[in-house]
Amino acid sequence: MTEDAIHSLTDEALVEAIVKTNDTMLFEVLYDRYATMVYNKCYGFANGVDEAKDLTQDVFLRVFIKLASFKGKSKFSTWLYAFTYNHCVNYVTRNTAKKLEKKSVNSESVDIQNLGEEVDSTREFENMRVDKLKEVMELISPEEKMILLLKYEDNLSIKELSEALDIGESAVKMRLKRAKEKLVHKYENYTKDGKSI
């Protein structure tokens, strides 16, 4: 297969070829397509650039090993988003004892207006200030942060979240509802006192 032909393959066709052949050259093409996206996600959970780079390498190493578990139920990019977030959540959870001073996720890109419209009982989202929202995102659990970012930063649908996280759509909705309620609660306490309770 020529280099042009390889580069024109869809993600899914590329994954299929990598699983069949274990060809690291093919995997490099996939890496080049997604390295920046994965790094940016890792950076949101990491304590600086070096740690984000290490996490990124770790994610791709694990992706290469686990590629055969991608069944094509969702788009590859959706699967990779979820895989990256899960890896970062596990990493942060393992390291909470160290009380890492994590860099804040780039929450400016979270569609706060959209977030507000979906929460009937909590119209407060519309009034949340982005700078405070960024700080409060660090006060909720990594799992809650993950599902909110997948939904509102990466704009995954409930169906895509269900496929990526391998849970039912009703479970996705429940987790989102709980995470949003927790975020609103933390935000209210944070802005009341100027700090977390």
Side-chain angles (χ1 to χ4, degrees):
M1 197 181 292
T2 69
E3 200 168 317
D4 284 346
I6 291 168
H7 283 278
S8 65
L9 287 173
T10 65
D11 292 342
E12 290 73 20
L14 200 51
V15 168
E16 202 178 312
I18 296 163
V19 170
K20 274 185 192 161
T21 63
N22 266 345
D23 188 336
T24 53
M25 297 297 279
L26 291 176
F27 189 73
E28 275 180 34
V29 176
L30 207 57
Y31 177 89
D32 289 343
R33 285 181 191 177
Y34 289 103
T36 303
M37 181 277 285
V38 170
Y39 172 79
N40 289 337
K41 302 296 169 215
C42 291
Y43 187 77
F45 288 88
N47 189 23
V49 171
D50 290 339
E51 196 172 63
K53 285 178 181 171
D54 290 346
L55 269 172
T56 303
Q57 291 305 318
D58 211 16
V59 165
F60 277 106
L61 184 65
R62 286 164 189 271
V63 164
F64 187 71
I65 295 163
K66 297 269 189 186
L67 215 47
S69 71
F70 171 67
K71 300 298 180 212
K73 283 194 286 185
S74 60
K75 290 190 306 191
F76 175 74
S77 58
T78 303
W79 181 83
L80 184 59
Y81 282 158
F83 191 97
T84 302
Y85 276 123
N86 275 322
H87 181 74
C88 290
V89 165
N90 291 336
Y91 174 81
V92 170
T93 305
R94 280 196 308 270
N95 288 283
T96 43
K98 296 178 190 170
K99 275 287 189 198
L100 290 173
E101 287 295 322
K102 298 186 300 299
K103 287 272 185 242
S104 193
V105 162
N106 180 9
S107 301
E108 284 100 354
S109 57
V110 176
D111 185 348
I112 297 165
Q113 202 63 38
N114 184 17
L115 194 54
E117 285 163 10
E118 292 205 6
V119 184
D120 301 328
S121 60
T122 50
R123 304 299 298 171
E124 296 90 341
F125 264 118
E126 292 172 6
N127 305 318
M128 280 190 175
R129 293 193 23 224
V130 168
D131 58 333
K132 290 278 187 282
L133 183 59
K134 279 172 63 178
E135 292 170 32
V136 175
M137 283 291 263
E138 299 303 321
L139 303 177
I140 61 176
S141 77
E143 290 86 354
E144 290 162 337
K145 182 173 162 181
M146 173 184 77
I147 199 159
L148 289 173
L149 292 176
L150 282 168
K151 178 79 177 92
Y152 298 106
E153 189 177 69
D154 298 319
N155 298 314
L156 299 190
S157 68
I158 298 293
K159 185 175 188 300
E160 287 173 322
L161 280 169
S162 167
E163 290 164 350
L165 301 173
D166 203 22
I167 57 175
E169 289 187 21
S170 58
V172 168
K173 288 175 188 171
M174 184 54 70
R175 284 192 196 180
L176 273 171
K177 181 175 182 287
R178 285 187 186 142
K180 286 185 284 194
E181 284 169 357
K182 178 83 73 72
L183 191 65
V184 168
H185 178 70
K186 293 277 188 193
Y187 182 85
E188 285 169 349
N189 289 337
Y190 190 85
T191 50
K192 209 180 293 169
D193 300 346
K195 62 187 188 311
S196 146
I197 294 176

